[in-house]
Each structure stands twice: as structure tokens, then as C-alpha cells.
Amino acid sequence: MTSKRLLGAFSAAALCLGSLPASGQEATSTVASEGPTGSDYAVYVHGLHVLNVSASYQLQPWGYGATTHLESAGFASWFLKMRITTQAQGHFTENGISPISYESSGFSRGTVRHVKLVYHDGTPSVDILEPRENDREQVPSDQLAHTVDTLSGVAHLLHTLTTTGKCNGTEMVFDGLRLTHMTIHGPVTDAIPQDHGELYSGPALRCDFIGQQVAGFVKDSPNRNKMSQPKPGAVWFKQVDGFGLVPVRIEIEHPKLGHVTVVMQQAPRH
């Protein structure tokens, strides 16, 4: 297991939350949070605890801000070093969302990495990409219009599910390197699985999704066919007093790692 695959697993988990409602679907109301909401998650691969993720976000009627911090954990931290902080901000609009900026930096795959996206009229420009990944195909610029970053997708999904009760739609998600087509549908009421010491149990709202990478592949990769296959998954949202709907569990199928589970470890906090 490499740090590249672990980071890919986390990115896929974030992408599952990055699906937005179909264009033109308008929220009926907006619920602003009382303050930034913080939450902590553990990422499991084949039952092994490999990553810790802390997240902080705030939703207002006019927009959002979000920060995540990822660090290797458990047995994986003995031989894989990873520490990454990611931030995003943007506005909610009548027809969806308008990201302003996205930035991710930290140590991964043996070096310090830094990605910064700035949005102009709904299209991101890659202001910083260090180091350059010359072994990867560049996403064509004509495919970037109206794409969103992963954290903006999380904020929009939470906003939309809270205000409309739905999570149906499609979206294109761009993280600075890869372009992924997301579809999501639901929710349905489903019991939260109990296999990793879950903090919450009982019924929750489950949204099912499929993510499929469509651009930004590593050149001449023998795994290209696997990476381009649709990847199913699901996310469970629990109604928590004082916080509203909170994502408490994510499951994805990663083309290399297999089954990946992300589980909330501590109660959300303001």
C-alpha cells in the first residue's frame, strides 16, 4: 500500500460527497449553522485504520467555508508519512454554487505538495501545482467550465440535502489533477452499519453515488482501465441535535485498494 493509493482513497471518499444537484434545482430555504462545525473521521482499508481526517465547515445562506486536515494513522503511519491541509470557500447561488478558491498543501508521496485553484466566472485556473506531475495527462481546459472542487461539493451537498431533502444530480469535480464525473441519488432511510466502532447507530439518510474519472490519468498507466471504471459508494447522514444533518459514514470501492470505509469518531462540535 503506497501513500499515493491512500491519498487516492481519501480523494475518492471526498468525491463521494462532492456530487451536486442537477443544474437549475433551487433550494427552498437555507439553514445557517450557529458556528463552525468540527468533526473527526477514521479511514479504514480492508479493516485497517490508515488515516485520520478532521474537518471544519460553516454554512451561511450566502456561502460556505471548509477546512480538512488529513494524517496517516495506525500501522500505516510507521512507513507512510502523510499530512495534508485543504481549504475551500465559495458562494451559494439560486442555481447551485460558485466556488471562490481551493487550496491543498502538505507532505505526501515523499515530498511537499501544493495545489491552488482560483475560480473566474465558474472556471478554475490552476495557480499553483507543485511539484508538476509531468507523467500525468493534463485535463483539457475546455472541460473545466462549471466544475467544482471536492470541498465545495461537500458544502453544496449538505446545503442541498438540508434545504430540499434530496441528493439527486450529477456534477464534474476537478481537484487540480483529475476530472471525475459524479452522479448521486437518494436519499433512502437505512440503518448505519456497525463494524468499526461507530459513534452513531439506528436510521439515517443514505445517498448512493457513482464516481468515474474521465480525465487526468497517468500517462501509459497499466491501471488506466481500472481507474476509469465507475466506482460505487454510499454516504450516511445522521440528524444530530444542534448540528442538523451530519455525514457519519462513507463507503467506496477503490480500483486498487478495494473497499474503503470512512467513519465518524467523535461527536461534532462548534
Side-chain angles (χ1 to χ4, degrees):
M1 184 184 299
T2 67
S3 61
K4 185 176 181 179
R5 292 183 182 182
L6 282 178
L7 183 57
F10 172 70
S11 298
L15 286 174
C16 84
L17 290 174
S19 300
L20 308 187
S23 177
Q25 187 174 11
E26 185 175 344
T28 57
S29 63
T30 300
V31 178
S33 63
E34 297 178 358
T37 296
S39 52
D40 299 302
Y41 299 85
V43 180
Y44 295 88
V45 177
H46 295 297
L48 297 177
H49 182 192
V50 296
L51 296 173
N52 285 327
V53 182
S54 61
S56 176
Y57 60 90
Q58 185 167 15
L59 307 184
Q60 295 291 341
W62 50 267
Y64 61 92
T67 300
T68 63
H69 180 74
L70 177 151
E71 190 168 359
S72 50
F75 178 71
S77 64
W78 295 4
F79 56 95
L80 294 176
K81 302 300 180 184
M82 187 183 303
R83 183 187 293 266
I84 301 171
T85 298
T86 304
Q87 299 176 316
Q89 59 179 327
H91 298 295
F92 295 123
T93 68
E94 289 186 356
N95 295 321
I97 195 169
S98 178
I100 296 173
S101 64
Y102 168 88
E103 189 166 7
S104 180
S105 62
F107 188 85
S108 174
R109 288 183 278 158
T111 190
V112 175
R113 300 180 182 275
H114 190 185
V115 177
K116 183 177 182 179
L117 307 181
V118 177
Y119 291 79
H120 307 278
D121 298 323
T123 299
S125 64
V126 182
D127 279 16
I128 299 174
L129 180 58
E130 299 173 350
R132 305 293 300 186
E133 296 200 10
N134 296 321
D135 63 338
R136 186 180 295 275
E137 298 172 355
Q138 186 172 350
V139 176
S141 59
D142 61 359
Q143 296 184 29
L144 294 179
H146 307 299
T147 61
V148 300
D149 61 85
T150 54
L151 291 188
S152 294
V154 172
H156 194 189
L157 178 57
L158 285 170
H159 172 76
T160 303
L161 184 58
T162 298
T163 57
T164 71
K166 303 293 183 181
C167 53
N168 296 316
T170 65
E171 192 54 271
M172 301 301 293
V173 181
F174 178 61
D175 65 359
L177 293 172
R178 293 164 288 268
L179 185 65
T180 300
H181 179 261
M182 300 294 301
T183 62
I184 193 165
H185 55 90
V188 298
T189 301
D190 184 38
I192 302 171
Q194 302 292 296
D195 52 10
H196 290 294
E198 272 72 10
L199 184 66
Y200 295 102
S201 61
L205 295 179
R206 191 192 78 218
C207 295
D208 299 313
F209 64 89
I210 294 177
Q212 184 171 16
Q213 186 178 343
V214 296
F217 295 98
V218 174
K219 298 175 182 178
D220 303 317
S221 171
N223 298 309
R224 182 178 183 126
N225 185 57
K226 286 184 179 180
M227 299 305 296
S228 65
Q229 293 300 308
K231 306 171 186 67
V235 52
W236 285 257
F237 292 91
K238 184 75 172 178
Q239 188 77 29
V240 179
D241 289 344
F243 296 91
L245 288 172
V246 176
V248 297
R249 180 184 174 96
I250 304 166
E251 291 185 15
I252 61 172
E253 293 298 330
H254 190 272
K256 295 180 180 179
L257 297 177
H259 195 74
V260 178
T261 305
V262 183
V263 177
M264 178 175 279
Q265 294 293 287
Q266 296 183 25
R269 59 193 179 275
H270 282 312

